[in-house]
Amino acid sequence: MKYIKIILLVFIVCVIISCIKNKNTGNAKKIVVAWVGKTILFTQNPDCMICDSIVQCPETDNNNYKILLYVDSLGCTSCRTKLPEWRKLILESDTLFENKPDFLFFFQPRINGLTDLEVLLMGNGFNYPVFVDMKNEIMHLNNFPKEPEYQCFLLDKENKVVMVGNPVYNPAIWELYKKIIRKNGNTDER
């Protein structure tokens, strides 16, 4: 009798896990379908910084793809951003693509959290410009999904969403991003 209870308990746990997994997969599909084809709107004249210095925001090339990462002030920003992994993707992009995509990092730091953002960037040796959106305007303009794994987008030259998903959370997403960029003739196979 004891073994039957254990087997039944294991079976119930497996069914629950399967249901949760299927629910998450369904949610992911809904988010991707809802976002692909949408045009992302950008704030006017955002502040930009590299490490601890305010800089002029870089011009984005309308002939290139763009990879947009939005990071709000909720939770552990360092844990969610994984800046060392982004640095690797940027370097890989430099070698793979003749017209590499623009990487657009939009941070909405906490009130008085600019220092935290500076420490995060400097601590990770992240010498790439980031957009600082203290008023969270980009979120208000676009109403991004709440889940951090869906707050990253591959955009075409007209800022339309081509793909949704964070490539540092899932390497398969990065492979899809690269495939899309290559497919559309924006490569220099080295």
Side-chain angles (χ1 to χ4, degrees):
M1 189 65 162
K2 184 177 179 181
Y3 295 113
I4 293 175
K5 288 181 181 180
I6 292 172
I7 291 171
L8 185 60
L9 180 63
V10 169
F11 176 75
I12 291 171
V13 169
C14 290
V15 169
I16 291 171
I17 290 171
S18 175
C19 290
I20 291 170
K21 188 174 183 180
N22 288 338
K23 181 180 177 185
N24 290 342
T25 301
N27 189 40
K29 288 179 185 176
K30 286 179 188 177
I31 291 170
V32 170
V33 167
W35 278 90
V36 170
K38 279 190 176 185
T39 300
I40 297 294
L41 304 172
F42 289 94
T43 59
Q44 298 295 317
N45 305 316
D47 292 326
C48 288
M49 63 187 300
I50 297 177
C51 284
D52 63 345
S53 301
I54 301 297
V55 297
Q56 183 171 346
C57 292
E59 292 292 323
T60 58
D61 187 344
N62 287 335
N63 293 322
N64 289 350
Y65 281 95
K66 299 168 197 79
I67 297 174
L68 168 66
L69 175 68
Y70 166 75
V71 182
D72 62 22
S73 61
L74 300 176
C76 173
T77 303
S78 175
C79 306
R80 290 179 37 217
T81 56
K82 300 183 181 222
L83 292 178
E85 285 85 358
W86 276 108
R87 202 171 54 245
K88 290 176 189 173
L89 296 184
I90 293 169
L91 291 173
E92 183 181 350
S93 175
D94 287 344
T95 62
L96 287 178
F97 306 112
E98 181 179 345
N99 296 316
K100 73 176 194 104
D102 293 320
F103 288 81
L104 309 175
F105 298 93
F106 273 79
F107 284 87
Q108 187 264 320
R110 293 179 188 92
I111 305 279
N112 298 325
L114 200 50
T115 304
D116 293 342
L117 180 56
E118 292 169 358
V119 169
L120 174 67
L121 297 173
M122 290 186 341
N124 284 284
F126 196 74
N127 294 322
Y128 197 82
V130 300
F131 297 86
V132 180
D133 187 4
M134 295 299 289
K135 296 179 184 175
N136 208 13
E137 292 177 41
I138 196 164
M139 173 57 110
H140 297 301
L141 289 171
N142 296 287
N143 196 26
F144 295 135
K146 301 296 182 226
E147 302 88 346
E149 60 269 24
Y150 305 113
Q151 294 176 339
C152 186
F153 308 91
L154 176 63
L155 309 176
D156 68 11
K157 64 183 180 180
E158 295 160 355
N159 298 328
K160 290 192 183 297
V161 175
V162 177
M163 180 78 187
V164 179
N166 191 321
V168 300
Y169 289 178
N170 183 346
I173 298 291
W174 180 236
E175 293 303 318
L176 289 172
Y177 277 29
K178 292 188 300 188
K179 186 176 181 180
I180 291 167
I181 294 168
R182 280 190 188 110
K183 179 181 173 188
N184 291 300
N186 197 7
T187 65
D188 176 23
E189 296 290 339
R190 295 180 189 176

